[in-house]
PDB file of all heavy atoms in Angstrom:
ATOM      1  N   VAL A 196       8.818   2.083   5.498  1.00  0.00           N
ATOM      2  CA  VAL A 196       8.029   2.867   4.563  1.00  0.00           C
ATOM      3  C   VAL A 196       7.090   1.939   3.792  1.00  0.00           C
ATOM      4  O   VAL A 196       7.138   0.721   3.960  1.00  0.00           O
ATOM      5  CB  VAL A 196       8.954   3.626   3.572  1.00  0.00           C
ATOM      6  CG1 VAL A 196       9.756   4.701   4.272  1.00  0.00           C
ATOM      7  CG2 VAL A 196       9.872   2.648   2.839  1.00  0.00           C
ATOM      8  N   LEU A 232      16.142   2.275   4.780  1.00  0.00           N
ATOM      9  CA  LEU A 232      14.723   2.170   4.434  1.00  0.00           C
ATOM     10  C   LEU A 232      14.325   0.705   4.306  1.00  0.00           C
ATOM     11  O   LEU A 232      15.087  -0.114   3.783  1.00  0.00           O
ATOM     12  CB  LEU A 232      14.443   2.901   3.125  1.00  0.00           C
ATOM     13  CG  LEU A 232      14.808   4.388   3.107  1.00  0.00           C
ATOM     14  CD1 LEU A 232      14.683   4.959   1.704  1.00  0.00           C
ATOM     15  CD2 LEU A 232      13.926   5.172   4.078  1.00  0.00           C
ATOM     16  N   THR A 262      20.406  11.725  -4.922  1.00  0.00           N
ATOM     17  CA  THR A 262      21.553  11.156  -4.228  1.00  0.00           C
ATOM     18  C   THR A 262      21.440   9.646  -4.336  1.00  0.00           C
ATOM     19  O   THR A 262      20.334   9.119  -4.429  1.00  0.00           O
ATOM     20  CB  THR A 262      21.608  11.603  -2.747  1.00  0.00           C
ATOM     21  OG1 THR A 262      22.620  10.853  -2.090  1.00  0.00           O
ATOM     22  CG2 THR A 262      20.307  11.348  -2.011  1.00  0.00           C
ATOM     23  N   GLU A 300       6.082 -11.234   7.992  1.00  0.00           N
ATOM     24  CA  GLU A 300       4.627 -11.265   8.169  1.00  0.00           C
ATOM     25  C   GLU A 300       4.216 -12.071   9.408  1.00  0.00           C
ATOM     26  O   GLU A 300       3.148 -11.847   9.961  1.00  0.00           O
ATOM     27  CB  GLU A 300       3.941 -11.796   6.908  1.00  0.00           C
ATOM     28  CG  GLU A 300       3.954 -10.767   5.793  1.00  0.00           C
ATOM     29  CD  GLU A 300       3.142 -11.195   4.592  1.00  0.00           C
ATOM     30  OE1 GLU A 300       3.700 -11.888   3.717  1.00  0.00           O
ATOM     31  OE2 GLU A 300       1.949 -10.840   4.545  1.00  0.00           O
ATOM     32  N   ASP A 320       6.949   5.107   9.137  1.00  0.00           N
ATOM     33  CA  ASP A 320       6.431   6.202   8.303  1.00  0.00           C
ATOM     34  C   ASP A 320       5.301   5.729   7.387  1.00  0.00           C
ATOM     35  O   ASP A 320       4.529   6.539   6.899  1.00  0.00           O
ATOM     36  CB  ASP A 320       7.561   6.813   7.471  1.00  0.00           C
ATOM     37  CG  ASP A 320       7.270   8.263   7.083  1.00  0.00           C
ATOM     38  OD1 ASP A 320       6.658   8.983   7.908  1.00  0.00           O
ATOM     39  OD2 ASP A 320       7.640   8.684   5.975  1.00  0.00           O
ATOM     40  N   THR A 333       5.655  -3.717  13.855  1.00  0.00           N
ATOM     41  CA  THR A 333       5.380  -3.743  15.296  1.00  0.00           C
ATOM     42  C   THR A 333       6.516  -4.397  16.088  1.00  0.00           C
ATOM     43  O   THR A 333       6.906  -3.901  17.140  1.00  0.00           O
ATOM     44  CB  THR A 333       4.078  -4.520  15.573  1.00  0.00           C
ATOM     45  OG1 THR A 333       4.073  -5.722  14.788  1.00  0.00           O
ATOM     46  CG2 THR A 333       2.859  -3.687  15.225  1.00  0.00           C
ATOM     47  N   ALA A 367     -19.601  13.364   6.651  1.00  0.00           N
ATOM     48  CA  ALA A 367     -18.889  12.227   6.071  1.00  0.00           C
ATOM     49  C   ALA A 367     -19.641  11.767   4.837  1.00  0.00           C
ATOM     50  O   ALA A 367     -20.871  11.779   4.817  1.00  0.00           O
ATOM     51  CB  ALA A 367     -18.788  11.102   7.092  1.00  0.00           C
ATOM     52  N   GLN A 421     -27.411  -4.887   8.966  1.00  0.00           N
ATOM     53  CA  GLN A 421     -26.645  -3.726   9.415  1.00  0.00           C
ATOM     54  C   GLN A 421     -26.918  -2.505   8.547  1.00  0.00           C
ATOM     55  O   GLN A 421     -27.052  -1.393   9.057  1.00  0.00           O
ATOM     56  CB  GLN A 421     -25.161  -4.049   9.399  1.00  0.00           C
ATOM     57  CG  GLN A 421     -24.787  -5.077  10.434  1.00  0.00           C
ATOM     58  CD  GLN A 421     -23.310  -5.008  10.773  1.00  0.00           C
ATOM     59  OE1 GLN A 421     -22.757  -3.928  10.964  1.00  0.00           O
ATOM     60  NE2 GLN A 421     -22.669  -6.156  10.841  1.00  0.00           N
ATOM     61  N   CYS A 426     -28.689   2.815   7.966  1.00  0.00           N
ATOM     62  CA  CYS A 426     -29.238   3.756   6.988  1.00  0.00           C
ATOM     63  C   CYS A 426     -30.542   4.384   7.479  1.00  0.00           C
ATOM     64  O   CYS A 426     -30.990   5.395   6.949  1.00  0.00           O
ATOM     65  CB  CYS A 426     -29.428   3.078   5.636  1.00  0.00           C
ATOM     66  SG  CYS A 426     -27.853   2.739   4.817  1.00  0.00           S
ATOM     67  N   GLY A 444     -23.698   0.675 -19.555  1.00  0.00           N
ATOM     68  CA  GLY A 444     -24.000   2.108 -19.648  1.00  0.00           C
ATOM     69  C   GLY A 444     -24.736   2.499 -20.925  1.00  0.00           C
ATOM     70  O   GLY A 444     -25.036   3.683 -21.125  1.00  0.00           O
ATOM     71  N   ARG A 479     -25.902  20.575  -0.525  1.00  0.00           N
ATOM     72  CA  ARG A 479     -26.330  21.459   0.573  1.00  0.00           C
ATOM     73  C   ARG A 479     -25.620  21.111   1.879  1.00  0.00           C
ATOM     74  O   ARG A 479     -25.281  21.977   2.664  1.00  0.00           O
ATOM     75  CB  ARG A 479     -27.852  21.387   0.737  1.00  0.00           C
ATOM     76  CG  ARG A 479     -28.554  22.305  -0.264  1.00  0.00           C
ATOM     77  CD  ARG A 479     -30.043  22.311  -0.053  1.00  0.00           C
ATOM     78  NE  ARG A 479     -30.688  21.508  -1.080  1.00  0.00           N
ATOM     79  CZ  ARG A 479     -31.727  20.698  -0.876  1.00  0.00           C
ATOM     80  NH1 ARG A 479     -32.242  20.566   0.329  1.00  0.00           N
ATOM     81  NH2 ARG A 479     -32.234  20.022  -1.881  1.00  0.00           N
ATOM     82  N   ILE A 481     -22.618  19.408   2.030  1.00  0.00           N
ATOM     83  CA  ILE A 481     -21.177  19.587   1.822  1.00  0.00           C
ATOM     84  C   ILE A 481     -20.788  21.061   1.985  1.00  0.00           C
ATOM     85  O   ILE A 481     -19.776  21.385   2.607  1.00  0.00           O
ATOM     86  CB  ILE A 481     -20.754  19.033   0.435  1.00  0.00           C
ATOM     87  CG1 ILE A 481     -20.960  17.511   0.394  1.00  0.00           C
ATOM     88  CG2 ILE A 481     -19.304  19.395   0.105  1.00  0.00           C
ATOM     89  CD1 ILE A 481     -20.804  16.868  -0.977  1.00  0.00           C
ATOM     90  N   LEU A 487     -14.780  17.589   6.596  1.00  0.00           N
ATOM     91  CA  LEU A 487     -15.356  16.818   5.505  1.00  0.00           C
ATOM     92  C   LEU A 487     -14.484  15.589   5.295  1.00  0.00           C
ATOM     93  O   LEU A 487     -13.263  15.703   5.209  1.00  0.00           O
ATOM     94  CB  LEU A 487     -15.340  17.711   4.260  1.00  0.00           C
ATOM     95  CG  LEU A 487     -16.207  17.404   3.057  1.00  0.00           C
ATOM     96  CD1 LEU A 487     -17.658  17.168   3.451  1.00  0.00           C
ATOM     97  CD2 LEU A 487     -16.110  18.557   2.059  1.00  0.00           C
ATOM     98  N   ALA A 509     -16.838  14.690  -6.081  1.00  0.00           N
ATOM     99  CA  ALA A 509     -15.403  15.028  -6.024  1.00  0.00           C
ATOM    100  C   ALA A 509     -15.212  16.544  -6.171  1.00  0.00           C
ATOM    101  O   ALA A 509     -14.479  17.160  -5.395  1.00  0.00           O
ATOM    102  CB  ALA A 509     -14.636  14.276  -7.114  1.00  0.00           C
TER     103      ALA A 509
END
Side-chain angles (χ1 to χ4, degrees):
V196 292
L232 302 172
T262 171
E300 286 187 273
D320 205 36
T333 44
Q421 292 202 45
C426 289
R479 278 184 256 141
I481 295 170
L487 198 50

